[in-house]
Structure formats: C-alpha cells, structure tokens
Amino acid sequence: MPLHSSRLAVDEGTPVRRRPWPVWPQPADGALDALSRVLRSGRWAISGPYRGVESAERRFARRFADYHHIAHCVPASSGTASLMLALEACGVGAGDEVILPGVTWVASASTVVGVNAVPVFADIDPETLCLDPDAVEAAITPATKAIVVVHLYAAVADLTRLKEVADRHGIVLIEDCAQAHGAEFEGHKVGTFGAVGTFSMQQSKVLTSGEGGAAITADPVLARRMEHLRADGRCYGDTAPLSGRMELVETGELMGSNRCLSEFQAAVLTEQLGELDRFNARRAHNAELLDALLVDAGYRPQRSAPGTTARTYYTYAAELPEAELPGADIAKVTEALTAELGFPVTPSYSPLNANPLYDPSSRSRFALGPQHEKLIDPARFVLPVSGRLTRRLVTFHHAALLGDESDMRDIAEAFTKVLQHGAALAA
C-alpha cells in the first residue's frame, strides 16, 4: 500500500476515490414485466379477488421454500412482521423471556416487546459478533421460552452449539436471517435449523422488494398458524374459489393482523430470487480479497462460525487495529473513511442496552405495570464484549462489494491511509 503524506480528505486533502460505486438495488431482467403483469391482473393483494390464476405471493412462497429445501414459506409485509409471526406461532407471549444478541438491529428487540414478551440480551462472540452460546446458557431461566439467533452482517452464528443448548433446555430456537439470505451452515441454508427462519426484504437487503419479509418452517402446524396471523385470521382454502371471489377463507381458528405482502412485492421478489446466488458469489469473492488486504494492514475482519459453508455479505465489518489506533474515536474514523471513499462507512449497531432506538419506556403501550417495565428496561443488562467491540468496529453496505478487484484495492488503500493519520483521529 502507498504511504500517504497528504492530508485526509475529511481535512480537505485529496480523497482516495472519486469514481462512483455500484448502486443497490439492481433489478432483475424480468422485474419490470412481472410488475406489469400484476398491474394489469386485477389483483394487487392476496385479499383481492381471485382471477383464475395463482397469486404472485403463492408463486414466491413456493420458490423461496424450494430454494431453502423446506416445506413451507409464509410471506409477510416486513422482516419485523415475519419475526412477530414466528414468535406468536411458537407460543411466545406475555411474560415469556426471549434471549437475543446484545448487538443486532433494534427491531429484533422491539418485536419481542411487541408480543408482550421480555427481551433478555446475551453477549456476543468477539469473532463472529453473533450470539455467544455460553452467554445464552447463562441467561436461561424458568421463564425462557425462545432463543432468537441473528446471523449478523456477514456471519453465520454457531448453530451447532446454539441448537444443542436450545434442545437440551426444551427452548424454541428461531433464526433471524434478515441479513443472511443464501448463507449456509454445514451445507444447509440458514433459516432451516430452528423451528422458524425469518427474513427481511427491505430496500438494503441482498434480496429486496423495497419492503417485505418471509418466514420459513418445516412444521405444517406452525405454517398454518403464521398464515392466519398475517392475514387477519384467514388463510388460503384447499380449493380455488370462483373467479371474482376472495381466495382467503375465514376459518375462525386464530385471530391475526394484516401483515401481508402485496402482489407487486411478491412478483419482484420472485424475479430477484433468480439473481441472488450470482450477486452473493460476487460479494463473497470480493470480500475474500478485501479480507486479505485489510488483515495485512492490521484490521480484523468479522469471521463466521466454524461449520459455515457459504457466507452472505449484507454488511462488511472489521475491527480497528489496536496498536495503530489505540484511542480512536470511532465516529471520527468512520467519517474519515467515508470522505476517502465516497460511500457511507459507519460504526456498528450500538449495543441494545444503550441503543437510543430501543427505549420501551417511550411508548405507553408497553407500560403493563411496574414489574414488567423493570423487566424490559434495557439498562439492566451488562454486555462487556458488545460494548468493547462496538467502539472498535467499522462497517459498510454490501453494494461496495459488487465492484471489481480495483474497487477492493481502493477500499483497502483508504483504510490504510486512515491508519497512517491515526493520531488525528484520537478520541
């Protein structure tokens, strides 16, 4: 790497990179035609009138299930909705404890509170940034009903150990795969190891329709419960209705809410799914090259758990070298990297026990009594590994990994330049 005597770009120096970066999302070739077909179909939602053809939602559900080699997929309006479906279908409710990683997107925790359960934050593994199985074991109480394992950023959690802990204690394991579409553990897709696997298809995700989600399961009972929960207590009937009638049947089995995916989103997702593996392969190839370059510079890229056979790169994450940046202000470091590269480089998610986006006390709907309010107070948790690592992690979105080798060298050059000006970035 070249030595940089010039000033940092953030201090009006010359940036490493001025050329544009790849943008995301990138539509599949058939996406526009798929949208046009829905637009002219006379059915824009699964609650719309049946027109004698299979719904786009059913087509996507079948293909997403087939992609995972699993029996059932229930699409939903978002990743948050999908996780809520999974929790409620598995019987998680008022007063139940659900163990979560201390570092994850805030919706992992707010969704648990949303079903009147109690989030319990466990610390993370310093290599993978995912749930530490030993911390999970220590957090289990008689009130523990479920473990939600999040495959964070570009790592797969230690599913072997987490599944063993869950099975031994008779606790439901749910996989939050919002950032891991297509990742594999021991040759099987993530989302197929727990009772339910949940996914987000929000704008930034590697499989996206702008907003959307899905839950997958091998259990037909859980699948039927999730169908009811996402469509106001209705589900598809066993036979097709007359044209013009609603395809959803009012069974009276289970009260639900409206968390349905639109026909437009389902049509886009079906087309985008055909491109997922190609995009994932490109990101993985570039990430492997970037790993080698950054390790040489002293950074420590995120690792995946032993047993991982395919990684999905939603976010690239690396820990700052302690020797070169012993007292770095992470905000200053990421600001400097952003200025050098021309795309956002950010700190990691804040630990949930100190995350400003997670504050149940700010909403009166969660004020269910003094005891419950104490239980859902995030400040009661101590997460030393999460706290230490999030002060040292830099991250960026997967779009930057869709370029070529020269793009990865630009990223590595910027990271090296920032190291060489480390004294100016001290806290």
Side-chain angles (χ1 to χ4, degrees):
M1 292 290 173
L3 292 175
H4 292 276
S5 57
S6 63
R7 289 176 297 177
L8 290 168
V10 75
D11 293 325
E12 301 184 355
T14 302
V16 167
R17 170 85 173 219
R18 293 187 186 275
R19 294 181 291 118
W21 292 91
V23 297
W24 187 258
Q26 296 184 17
D29 289 342
L32 190 59
D33 286 343
L35 284 170
S36 181
R37 286 193 296 273
V38 173
L39 190 64
R40 292 170 170 80
S41 70
R43 186 182 187 183
W44 292 3
I46 63 170
S47 56
Y50 179 68
R51 298 298 183 185
V53 296
E54 184 179 45
S55 68
E57 196 237 34
R58 272 193 154 177
R59 286 196 299 275
F60 169 68
R62 184 177 63 255
R63 292 184 186 180
F64 200 61
D66 289 347
Y67 178 78
H68 289 89
H69 303 289
I70 202 166
H72 306 282
C73 168
V74 179
S77 56
S78 67
T80 299
S82 301
L83 181 55
M84 188 167 283
L85 297 180
L87 290 165
E88 292 198 78
C90 290
V92 175
D96 293 329
E97 292 182 356
V98 178
I99 298 174
L100 302 162
V103 178
T104 180
W105 179 239
V106 64
S108 299
S110 60
T111 303
V112 173
V113 175
V115 298
N116 292 335
V118 176
V120 173
F121 303 138
D123 223 335
I124 59 173
D125 179 279
E127 300 289 329
T128 68
L129 312 181
C130 299
L131 262 179
D132 180 345
D134 291 333
V136 171
E137 185 97 51
I140 292 172
T141 75
T144 305
K145 188 66 174 282
I147 300 166
V148 175
V149 52
V150 180
H151 304 298
L152 189 72
Y153 292 154
V156 176
D158 189 343
L159 286 167
T160 299
R161 291 193 60 203
L162 289 166
K163 194 170 188 311
E164 186 276 327
V165 170
D167 290 347
R168 179 157 40 84
H169 289 274
I171 298 169
V172 173
L173 181 68
I174 295 170
E175 291 179 77
D176 183 337
C177 310
Q179 302 180 2
H181 310 67
E184 296 181 2
F185 188 82
E186 296 181 347
H188 300 280
K189 293 283 195 295
V190 299
T192 64
F193 291 82
V196 182
T198 68
F199 297 81
S200 168
M201 282 72 166
Q202 177 267 346
Q203 158 93 23
S204 65
K205 302 304 191 294
V206 298
L207 178 65
T208 180
S209 52
E211 292 287 357
I216 61 174
T217 183
D219 188 330
V221 174
L222 290 179
R224 187 170 177 85
R225 286 179 62 82
M226 289 191 291
E227 271 203 54
H228 283 82
L229 287 164
R230 64 81 190 261
D232 287 317
R234 301 166 295 179
C235 70
Y236 285 113
D238 295 330
T239 59
L242 296 174
S243 183
R245 300 285 182 87
M246 184 182 291
E247 194 172 4
L248 296 176
V249 177
E250 299 179 7
T251 68
E253 293 179 21
L254 179 66
M255 186 178 79
S257 302
N258 182 5
R259 301 189 181 108
C260 294
L261 189 72
S262 80
E263 288 290 274
F264 293 104
Q265 293 167 302
V268 169
L269 287 173
T270 302
E271 300 302 318
Q272 297 300 122
L273 182 58
E275 299 292 320
L276 176 61
D277 287 345
R278 180 174 68 85
F279 280 128
N280 276 347
R282 186 188 304 177
R283 295 185 193 96
H285 171 80
N286 284 328
E288 186 175 355
L289 171 61
L290 185 57
D291 281 351
L293 294 171
L294 292 188
V295 166
D296 286 346
Y299 289 86
R300 191 168 70 93
Q302 180 189 24
R303 297 181 182 177
S304 195
T308 302
T309 46
R311 293 178 72 173
T312 293
Y313 286 82
Y314 168 67
T315 296
Y316 188 94
E319 185 180 353
L320 300 176
E322 185 66 38
E324 288 84 353
L325 294 168
D329 180 330
I330 195 65
K332 289 183 179 179
V333 172
T334 54
E335 182 184 5
L337 288 168
T338 297
E340 296 298 335
L341 288 167
F343 66 72
V345 180
T346 60
S348 75
Y349 301 142
S350 299
L352 286 170
N353 62 343
N355 191 318
L357 296 181
Y358 180 68
D359 181 11
S361 68
S362 67
R363 295 176 67 182
S364 59
R365 67 174 292 185
F366 303 132
L368 303 179
Q371 181 59 28
H372 184 75
E373 290 171 51
K374 287 180 182 178
L375 289 174
I376 63 173
D377 181 358
R380 75 185 181 98
F381 297 100
V382 178
L383 303 167
V385 178
S386 298
R388 173 177 61 81
L389 284 175
T390 52
R391 291 190 293 271
R392 305 287 304 170
L393 287 170
V394 296
T395 72
F396 61 83
H397 184 251
H398 64 81
L401 297 175
L402 292 175
D404 56 24
E405 181 174 330
S406 68
D407 296 317
M408 300 309 104
R409 295 193 180 280
D410 283 348
I411 295 171
E413 184 178 345
F415 275 60
T416 301
K417 181 181 178 182
V418 166
L419 283 190
Q420 293 167 357
H421 293 78
L425 303 172

